[in-house]
């Protein structure tokens, strides 16, 4: 997802709040100063001179003020994390936020002007493959899609058509129903993986044989332009470019989406797979 070039800035918003590790900080409180950069698209609002098409910075400032006064945390890291998420969930036109929490009265017995924590958080576009070849196959996928849509940190869910495909990996088993989903999320890749695995467990998936039959299989294909190589998670999915049953539904959702390592669109990758295996349209 391209980061929006337009910005709304709130600088040095003063809030008297009660955050800190020490009991005295929680009881007496102190001044905090907040800087926020809201990344959004203000073109429609600017052309039409219409506030309803933009994010009201006064409302955001008041929200930040009230949130900091109505909550108490030990760490300003926690303040920044929770506040950034709350802003993004409350104001839907904000795509991402740079948020800095300054604490000029921190209990440090040295001469200093301020300490601060700054975070960048935002909605990220993710793509997930879904498959099933046991039981009520379509129902398993649809139920998972519904639960994904219901997650508070996920929005703008799109689901492809489902296709019937032969098993992959050489294990004799029933045919699959496959599809793909795209959505925006505030979950990190690791958090998204954990959530998808929980959905697989709800579907009583058994991991007995690699590439074996399963009630529900949910794989992260892409997450923005993130490239990860960890034991538990690799992004992009390492074999997605070889799997027509992944590329076909994904191409329906985003044919011109580019693979961040191969530099080819999903449509191009699907064309190559079809040519390689002579897959009929």
């Amino acid at each position: 997802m391209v980061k929006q070039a337009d910005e709304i800035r709130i600088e040095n918003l003063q809030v008297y709040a009660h955050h800190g590790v020490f009991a005295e900080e929680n009881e007496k409180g102190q001044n905090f100063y907040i800087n926020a950069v809201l990344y959004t698209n203000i073109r429609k609002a600017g052309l039409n001179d219409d506030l309803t098409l933009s994010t009201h910075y006064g409302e955001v400032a008041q929200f930040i003020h009230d949130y900091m006064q109505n909550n108490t945390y030990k760490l300003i890291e926690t303040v920044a994390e929770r506040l950034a998420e709350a802003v993004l969930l409350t104001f839907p036109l904000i795509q991402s936020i740079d948020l800095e929490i300054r604490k000029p009265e921190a209990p440090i017995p040295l001469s200093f002007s301020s300490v601060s924590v700054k975070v960048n958080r935002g909605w990220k576009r993710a793509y997930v493959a879904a498959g099933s070849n046991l039981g009520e196959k379509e129902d398993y996928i649809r139920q998972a899609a519904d639960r994904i849509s219901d997650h508070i940190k996920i929005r703008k869910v799109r689901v492809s058509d489902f296709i019937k495909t032969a098993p992959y990996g050489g294990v004799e088993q029933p045919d699959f129903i496959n599809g793909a989903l795209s959505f925006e999320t505030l979950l990190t890749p690791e958090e998204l993986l954990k959530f998808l695995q929980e959905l697989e467990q709800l579907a009583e998936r058994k991991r007995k044989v690699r590439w074996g039959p399963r009630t529900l299989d949910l794989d992260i294909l892409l997450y923005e332009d993130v490239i990860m190589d960890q034991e538990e998670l690799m992004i992009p999915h390492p074999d997605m470019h070889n799997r027509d049953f992944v590329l076909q539904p994904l191409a329906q959702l985003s044919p011109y989406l580019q693979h961040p390592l191969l530099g080819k669109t999903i449509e191009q990758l699907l064309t190559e797979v079809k040519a390689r295996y002579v897959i009929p349209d």
Side-chain angles (χ1 to χ4, degrees), residues 72-139:
T72 298
Y73 300 109
K74 292 180 179 179
L75 304 178
I76 55 173
E77 291 91 335
T78 305
V79 179
E81 193 70 52
R82 301 284 179 83
L83 178 55
E85 179 179 286
V87 169
L88 290 165
L89 289 172
T90 305
F91 299 93
L93 296 182
I94 300 175
Q95 190 64 39
S96 65
I97 181 172
D98 289 335
L99 182 66
E100 181 183 22
I101 310 293
R102 290 201 303 112
K103 189 176 181 180
E105 301 166 24
I108 301 174
L110 298 168
S111 177
F112 71 101
S113 61
S114 183
V115 295
S116 70
V117 166
K118 185 176 182 179
V119 300
N120 172 268
R121 298 292 181 265
W123 292 98
K124 308 294 184 182
R125 173 63 61 178
Y127 296 85
V128 170
S132 174
N133 74 333
L134 291 177
E136 298 298 325
K137 306 172 189 179
E138 288 197 19
D139 287 347

Side-chain angles (χ1 to χ4, degrees), residues 27-195:
E27 294 168 3
K28 293 184 177 180
Q30 60 192 293
N31 286 308
F32 293 83
Y33 293 84
I34 296 88
N35 294 313
V37 182
L38 316 176
Y39 295 97
T40 184
N41 188 332
I42 65 173
R43 182 167 178 81
K44 286 185 179 180
L47 291 175
N48 293 278
D49 200 23
D50 185 351
L51 181 57
T52 64
L53 300 175
S54 184
T55 298
H56 194 317
Y57 52 75
E59 292 181 357
V60 178
Q62 188 65 55
F63 180 87
I64 291 172
H65 178 275
D66 294 347
Y67 188 94
M68 291 198 64
Q69 285 202 331
N70 295 334
N71 294 276
T72 298
Y73 300 109
K74 292 180 179 179
L75 304 178
I76 55 173
E77 291 91 335
T78 305
V79 179
E81 193 70 52
R82 301 284 179 83
L83 178 55
E85 179 179 286
V87 169
L88 290 165
L89 289 172
T90 305
F91 299 93
L93 296 182
I94 300 175
Q95 190 64 39
S96 65
I97 181 172
D98 289 335
L99 182 66
E100 181 183 22
I101 310 293
R102 290 201 303 112
K103 189 176 181 180
E105 301 166 24
I108 301 174
L110 298 168
S111 177
F112 71 101
S113 61
S114 183
V115 295
S116 70
V117 166
K118 185 176 182 179
V119 300
N120 172 268
R121 298 292 181 265
W123 292 98
K124 308 294 184 182
R125 173 63 61 178
Y127 296 85
V128 170
S132 174
N133 74 333
L134 291 177
E136 298 298 325
K137 306 172 189 179
E138 288 197 19
D139 287 347
Y140 280 123
I141 298 176
R142 293 190 190 282
Q143 288 170 11
D146 288 343
R147 290 187 172 110
I148 288 171
S149 297
D150 289 341
H151 196 293
I152 190 172
K153 296 182 184 180
I154 293 176
R155 69 180 188 180
K156 299 182 181 180
V157 179
R158 297 173 61 215
V159 183
S160 73
D161 293 337
F162 298 151
I163 59 173
K164 182 179 179 180
T165 61
Y168 181 86
V171 178
E172 187 174 344
Q173 57 187 305
D175 287 343
F176 275 83
I177 295 296
N178 288 102
L181 300 91
S182 73
F183 48 82
E184 291 184 358
T185 183
L186 296 179
L187 298 172
T188 66
E190 296 87 352
E191 291 166 347
L192 178 58
L193 174 64
K194 182 176 183 292
F195 173 56

